[in-house]
Amino acid sequence: MKKNAQWAILAVMIICIGLVFYQHPSPSKSTSQPGEGVDIGLKAPDFTLEGLDSQTYRLASFRGKPTIVNFWASWCGPCVDEAPSFAKLHEAYGSQVNIVAINLTTLDSLENVQAFVQRYHFRFPILLDTAGDTAAKYRIQPIPSTFFLDKNGVIVDGMLGALDAQTLKQKTDELLTGT
């Protein structure tokens, strides 16, 4: 019995170590440029994605104005919870800050994305991560995940999980004032 328990503990340890290596790719496999990454203080990894409006968007084109990048899916309960907050934020701050919503389309359907966007009256770019490359580049695990970038594209904050209207407004105000 004691020997079985030791083997079980060893198996759990091996699985945990494997998960750590799986979730944190080695630098040699990274597609990031020097000084770029998903950590606070680094320039956000650039990407080019097609939008729901069939236009092509590149993250670098949003520089010059603070940008909020939100990863979401239509079936995600917390994403549904925070959707009205993003719509209200865009109404209040639309000229001062970019909002970029990246749908994890590999896990979603285009029809559901369109219905979600119409339901919540999103008036900001909805980008489609159809291959999952951008989510992988940003190491997205839980959704929603949100990154706050300064006008130079540097990540100044990040949040995992749904943001209520008050927190989203507070984080946006901090982004705009640089505090």
Side-chain angles (χ1 to χ4, degrees):
M1 183 70 154
K2 188 175 181 182
K3 195 165 192 109
N4 287 340
Q6 290 174 337
W7 279 110
I9 291 171
L10 180 62
V12 168
M13 289 174 53
I14 290 171
I15 290 169
C16 290
I17 291 169
L19 285 172
V20 167
F21 283 109
Y22 174 75
Q23 291 181 4
H24 293 88
S26 68
S28 63
K29 294 181 182 178
S30 175
T31 58
S32 297
Q33 300 296 320
E36 185 179 87
V38 293
D39 295 323
I40 292 174
L42 294 178
K43 190 166 284 194
D46 199 15
F47 55 79
T48 301
L49 292 171
E50 185 176 332
L52 194 57
D53 60 3
S54 297
Q55 292 186 39
T56 300
Y57 293 86
R58 184 171 174 219
L59 180 62
S61 68
F62 292 101
R63 289 199 187 126
K65 190 187 291 188
T67 301
I68 300 170
V69 179
N70 176 256
F71 289 85
W72 64 282
S74 66
W75 50 262
C76 160
C79 300
V80 170
D81 293 343
E82 76 176 8
S85 299
F86 274 99
K88 288 178 186 172
L89 185 79
H90 185 260
E91 287 177 25
Y93 291 87
S95 63
Q96 299 172 60
V97 65
N98 298 310
I99 300 173
V100 178
I102 301 175
N103 175 264
L104 304 181
T105 317
T106 55
L107 306 172
D108 216 333
S109 75
L110 192 54
E111 296 79 25
N112 289 342
V113 173
Q114 291 168 329
F116 190 97
V117 168
Q118 288 176 348
R119 178 178 178 195
Y120 294 104
H121 308 288
F122 285 176
R123 304 284 183 250
F124 42 84
I126 307 300
L127 310 185
L128 306 172
D129 189 10
T130 57
D133 295 337
T134 302
K137 191 181 281 191
Y138 278 76
R139 298 190 314 245
I140 300 302
Q141 294 291 324
I143 55 171
S145 290
T146 306
F147 295 89
F148 297 85
L149 315 180
D150 69 12
K151 67 180 182 176
N152 299 311
V154 174
I155 299 172
V156 296
D157 204 352
M159 299 292 292
L160 303 176
L163 295 168
D164 60 55
Q166 181 179 356
T167 303
L168 187 55
K169 181 184 180 318
Q170 174 191 342
K171 295 289 181 187
T172 302
D173 287 340
E174 291 170 2
L175 182 62
L176 290 169
T177 60
T179 58

